[in-house]
Structure formats: C-alpha cells, structure tokens
Amino acid sequence: MKLPPYDNFPTLSGDKITLRQILPTDIQDLIEISFYDAIQATTVEQAAEMQDKINQDYRDGNSIHWGIIENATNRISGTCGYYRGLEKGEGELGCVLLPQFKGLGIMTDAMRLAIDFGLNHIGLKRIWAVTTRKNDKAIQLLERLGFIKIADLPDDEVEYELKTAR
Ligand SMILES: CC(C)(COP(=O)(O)OP(=O)(O)OC[C@H]1O[C@@H](n2cnc3c(N)ncnc32)[C@H](O)[C@@H]1OP(=O)(O)O)[C@@H](O)C(=O)NCCC(=O)NCCS
C-alpha cells in the first residue's frame, strides 16, 4: 500500500482529460461543486476553507482529491477522488462535474484514471461509491465503469462496488 501524501502530488493524464492537484486559482470556478461533510460552499471563501480541509485530509493520508482538466481547453471541469477508507486498503470514490461539462464522457474518463491509480498505485483491495437511488446519471456512470450494486442503505442511498477490485 502506498498511501498519500506522495513526494509529488500525482498527475494522471488521459487523451481528453488530466487529473491534477487543485490550485488556489481554481477555487473561484469550483464554488458550486465544492462540498465538505455534505455541505455546499456558496462563497469563494467557503470553497477555499473546504479546500484547506481537503488538503489536510490528503496530508493525513485519508483522501486524494483531483481537479479534472479538459485537455483541449485547459479548463477545470469537475473534481473526483477517494474520500474515505484508504487506511483500510479501500477507497470511496466521489465525483462531481460543473453543469456545462456534463454529457461529454469526461467523468467516465476521469474515473477510469482514478480507478487505475487506486488499484495499481495505492494498492486498494476494494473501491466503492455511494449515491442516492434516484441519481440516474451517477448510477449509469458507475455501471458503465463496471460497478455493481451491493447494498441498499438508509435515506434512499445505494452502495456500488467495482466488480474487478475483488
Ligand atoms: C454523476 C455525474 C458526474 C455524471 O455526469 P455525466 O456527464 O453523465 O458523466 P460522463 O462525463 O461520464 O458523461 C456521460 C455522458 O456523456 C456521453 N458520452 C459522450 N461521449 C462519451 C464517451 N466517450 N464515453 C462515455 N460517455 C460519453 C454519454 O452518452 C453520457 O451521456 P447521457 O447521460 O446523455 O447518456 C454528474 O451527473 C454529476 O456531477 N452529478 C452530481 C454529483 C454526483 O451525483 N456524483 C456521483 C457520486 S457517486
């Protein structure tokens, strides 16, 4: 197992997108998709405070959070990462796109890079994701990536697990 933090923050490159560290100059663009403990930021100050907490979680070895860059435009389109479970050799994947970047296949590519990193670099034994039963787009994304539903959870949530990670 190779848990965060790393000597250099991992940058993962694909054909259409790149996953990289989030920079202070990204924060303004990410306000509407900045969340911490399920609370959404509404100001740039709140989003920056959340990013500080996320950076601390990374330094503590508990998470890794990437910005997703569209290679063609160099614009930040969303975020994804592992947010829980790393100390047990497991990873809860989470992700969110800015509205104007939905429907383009960006998150499918981003999650593939994150999954490859989780399995082959961190050494995760299990990768899972939680969403709500009615979140069709998230469920379609997870199924496209090879996740299967393994549990119905309270509050209308469902847990999906990557098949190949077992
Ligand atoms: C979940 C979420 C990231 C999915 O976004 P998305 O745009 O549907 O996912 P992708 O970027 O992979 O794009 C897939 C769409 O692009 C299309 N697409 C185009 N080219 C594609 C390609 N090369 N590969 C895959 N899909 C492609 C697909 O057909 C699909 O469109 P459709 O939904 O109209 O069928 C987005 O809805 C979101 O941010 N939701 C809020 C946060 C959330 O729910 N997170 C999930 C937590 S588990």
Side-chain angles (χ1 to χ4, degrees), residues 78-150:
T79 60
C80 68
Y82 293 100
Y83 301 99
R84 278 193 294 178
L86 298 185
E87 72 288 350
K88 290 188 289 183
E90 303 184 347
E92 181 185 4
L93 259 181
C95 64
V96 56
L97 280 173
L98 287 162
Q100 62 271 35
F101 292 98
K102 289 182 181 176
L104 303 171
I106 287 176
M107 195 56 83
T108 301
D109 286 358
M111 296 285 259
R112 287 204 174 110
L113 289 173
I115 288 167
D116 179 66
F117 184 84
L119 295 176
N120 298 318
H121 190 90
I122 306 178
L124 298 177
K125 296 184 294 293
R126 183 175 99 91
I127 296 175
W128 86 97
V130 173
T131 187
T132 50
R133 201 181 315 279
K134 290 188 182 145
N135 192 345
D136 295 336
K137 292 295 175 191
I139 289 170
Q140 283 165 21
L141 169 70
L142 292 169
E143 290 181 343
R144 194 181 302 127
L145 292 163
F147 283 72
I148 51 169
K149 188 171 117 174
I150 58 159

Side-chain angles (χ1 to χ4, degrees), residues 44-64:
V44 71
E45 291 78 17
Q46 283 173 351
E49 271 175 36
M50 288 178 181
Q51 187 59 42
D52 288 344
K53 289 183 188 169
I54 290 168
N55 291 342
Q56 187 59 50
D57 290 341
Y58 171 76
R59 287 193 294 271
D60 292 341
N62 296 328
S63 85
I64 180 160

